[in-house]
Amino acid sequence: MWMRSATGARRLGTAGALAVAAGGTVAGALPVREPWGLWAGYGPAATTAGAVLAYTGLTLLVLAWWAYGRLLAGGRSPGVRYTLVTLGCWAAPLVLAPPLHSADVYSYIAQGAMVLEGHDVYAHGPSVLGPDSSGADAAASVGGHWTDTPAPYGPVFLLLAKAVVAGTGGILVPAVLGMRLLAVAALVLVAWAVRGLAAECGADPSRALWLAVLNPLLLLHVVGGMHNDGLMIGLMLTGVLLALRGRPLAGSAVVALAVMVKSPAVLALLFIGLIAVRRSEGPLARRLVKGLTGPALVAAAVVSAASLLGGTGFGWLRTQGVAGTIHTPLSLTSDLGQAAGLAARALTGAELTAVKGAVQSLGLAAALAVIAFLAFRTLYPWRGRRALDPVYGLGLALLALVALSPMVQPWYLLWGTTAVAATVPAGDSGLVRVLTVLSAGLVYETAPSGHTPPYGFVLGALACAVALVALRRRPASPVLTGPGGVTVPPGRPSVSRPR
């Protein structure tokens, strides 16, 4: 019955989230040392049992999300409020859990301590912290290759991390929970922005919230793993929403703050400019100059002020490529570059890193070409099709950037998915199906401990295969129950397609 009931899906997802949190308590990304002893290891047997429980809970959460989405695709929604309450039920169990599926939060805390103590966070890694530092416990838990890696994040995020360390004294459990409060705030901001963008784009708000924030990939990696991508996405979408509501300069300032968390948000400035161009009148050249220059100047002013007033300087400009030096199997260009480099070394003695770097650069060039074409399509019809909605164009641009980036992590899919979600009509679409399948598969790539075991790819591939088979079935006839168990009669709402 839960497959046909919104209430059943909510309960199943809540049970799954509880299992993820409970399993993560013994099998999560636990610290190397933690003075309170709350997140201590319990031995191999307990760790294995916890991982099995966490994976079981994750599967229940994915099934619940899938069932909820099929109900939305096949009939009337139980409403935005019901969807938001469901989000709260699924997110709440993760709030007090230890870091899940990623140890990145320890890097964040250590970098906040570096800023607090006056270290150059863009020249050194967390290993520079001494044993008496407020970030020493966090630094001890930073993953191997990140120990000596400078921060690739902007000053705004580092100042937030600094504030968390200053407020908690760097004591590990309070510091992690402080970072999780930022993650929950980011979740709320993303939900608010997606709902507003859906209204502006004529999309189904419940369907948009389902794909964007009920998504297990977001819950797992933004709330559970506390990745700062959630804050970047929330600020970026908020800026675009302000632009759609006639405040492009204010929107550009907010997007600049998103860039000062993570740099990929800069693409939103291009599409804010295109929104202004579409709404202005006069010769195209003048409209382009005015529409694109305004957001760029505002963003440059905000970025400069944040870099100077924050005390971290402009070192973030030189560290944007550090992540690309780390090979991630999800990066198509890195995999192709690695294969080409090995072949070239065997045949000609060429240096592997040089060949791999060239392939990665070609991938980024291809991404820029795709983004330029999407910008063109946002202004002009193409082959009988009307111009792209700017929000949809932004989503596609971010997805293209991720697909061709030299470093790809599972949660990077959320960059474009959240923007695409805000333009989703009531029914299914090809892109939504692709994003749904990928989201269902990518949640399995990383283990609760934050490692990337080979079986994670096997589980992910299996989840994608099952999802593809399930998509061939018609959506279930809805039995949507609202508060108090009231049954909502089936029927498809009339929702206009994105502009």
Side-chain angles (χ1 to χ4, degrees):
M1 182 63 181
W2 63 267
M3 287 290 290
R4 301 179 58 210
S5 165
T7 299
R10 174 192 282 180
R11 291 172 179 170
L12 186 71
T14 303
L18 285 168
V20 169
T25 301
V26 294
L30 304 181
V32 171
R33 60 174 186 257
E34 187 268 286
W36 290 4
L38 295 177
W39 294 337
Y42 295 91
T47 299
T48 300
V52 171
L53 178 61
Y55 273 119
T56 302
L58 178 57
T59 301
L60 295 179
L61 184 60
V62 171
L63 289 172
W65 176 65
W66 188 275
Y68 201 96
R70 298 304 281 170
L71 290 171
L72 293 177
R76 288 185 61 183
S77 165
V80 170
R81 182 177 179 181
Y82 194 88
T83 302
L84 290 173
V85 172
T86 299
L87 172 64
C89 291
W90 292 4
L94 307 177
V95 171
L96 295 179
L100 301 174
H101 292 264
S102 175
D104 283 6
V105 68
Y106 301 125
S107 292
Y108 300 163
I109 296 169
Q111 288 159 357
M114 290 174 66
V115 175
L116 184 64
E117 296 176 10
H119 298 286
D120 186 351
V121 75
Y122 296 124
H124 307 285
S127 62
V128 75
L129 292 173
D132 296 328
S133 166
S134 57
D137 287 341
S141 300
V142 172
H145 53 253
W146 292 109
T147 301
D148 297 307
T149 302
Y153 312 119
V156 167
F157 178 72
L158 293 177
L159 289 177
L160 291 173
K162 172 186 173 182
V164 168
V165 174
T168 61
I171 302 172
L172 205 59
V173 172
V176 168
L177 295 181
M179 296 304 299
R180 184 161 275 137
L181 285 179
L182 287 178
V184 171
L187 176 69
V188 172
L189 186 60
V190 173
W192 177 82
V194 166
R195 182 180 180 183
L197 287 170
E200 294 292 331
C201 296
D204 180 348
S206 292
R207 186 98 166 122
L209 290 168
W210 166 78
L211 181 58
V213 291
L214 276 183
N215 193 323
L217 193 62
L218 185 138
L219 291 172
L220 199 69
H221 286 292
V222 171
V223 181
M226 292 161 280
H227 286 114
N228 56 9
D229 301 71
L231 183 59
M232 179 199 77
I233 292 168
L235 291 170
M236 177 181 69
L237 295 183
T238 297
V240 175
L241 177 58
L242 289 173
L244 285 177
R245 290 179 173 175
R247 301 173 61 190
L249 298 184
S252 300
V254 176
V255 168
L257 295 178
V259 175
M260 292 288 89
V261 175
K262 291 192 78 169
S263 58
V266 73
L267 284 180
L269 292 173
L270 170 62
F271 287 88
I272 284 178
L274 295 176
I275 291 170
V277 172
R278 283 171 50 133
R279 292 184 173 183
S280 60
E281 297 180 354
L284 178 61
R286 182 184 302 171
R287 290 161 53 203
L288 283 171
V289 171
K290 182 179 179 180
L292 298 178
T293 301
L297 291 176
V298 169
V302 172
V303 165
S304 298
S307 299
L308 294 173
L309 297 178
T312 54
F314 293 88
W316 59 272
L317 290 170
R318 67 173 182 268
T319 62
Q320 292 307 297
V322 297
T325 62
I326 300 168
H327 186 89
T328 53
L330 291 178
S331 171
L332 176 62
T333 58
S334 291
D335 291 340
L336 290 175
Q338 183 87 354
L342 290 172
R345 186 171 65 182
L347 294 173
T348 67
E351 187 178 351
L352 187 152
T353 54
V355 176
K356 182 178 178 181
V359 174
Q360 290 174 330
S361 297
L362 287 174
L364 288 175
L368 291 176
V370 172
I371 293 166
F373 176 71
L374 291 170
F376 169 80
R377 284 283 286 109
T378 302
L379 293 179
Y380 295 102
W382 178 260
R383 295 184 177 179
R385 298 182 181 181
R386 56 188 172 182
L388 289 177
D389 180 283
V391 181
Y392 186 70
L394 171 62
L396 293 179
L398 288 165
L399 291 174
L401 179 62
V402 170
L404 296 167
S405 173
M407 181 181 180
V408 179
Q409 299 286 10
W411 55 92
Y412 288 6
L413 183 72
L414 297 168
W415 300 354
T417 298
T418 49
V420 169
T423 66
V424 172
D428 278 330
S429 70
L431 181 57
V432 169
R433 287 193 288 270
V434 170
L435 295 175
T436 301
V437 169
L438 290 176
S439 295
L442 288 175
V443 290
Y444 291 98
E445 196 220 358
T446 55
S449 63
H451 297 99
T452 307
Y455 65 77
F457 294 94
V458 176
L459 292 175
L462 181 61
C464 287
V466 172
L468 287 170
V469 172
L471 280 175
R472 298 177 67 88
R473 299 178 58 188
R474 294 175 61 85
S477 299
V479 180
L480 302 174
T481 53
V486 177
T487 300
V488 181
R492 186 182 300 277
S494 175
V495 179
S496 61
R497 299 187 68 83
R499 296 189 298 273

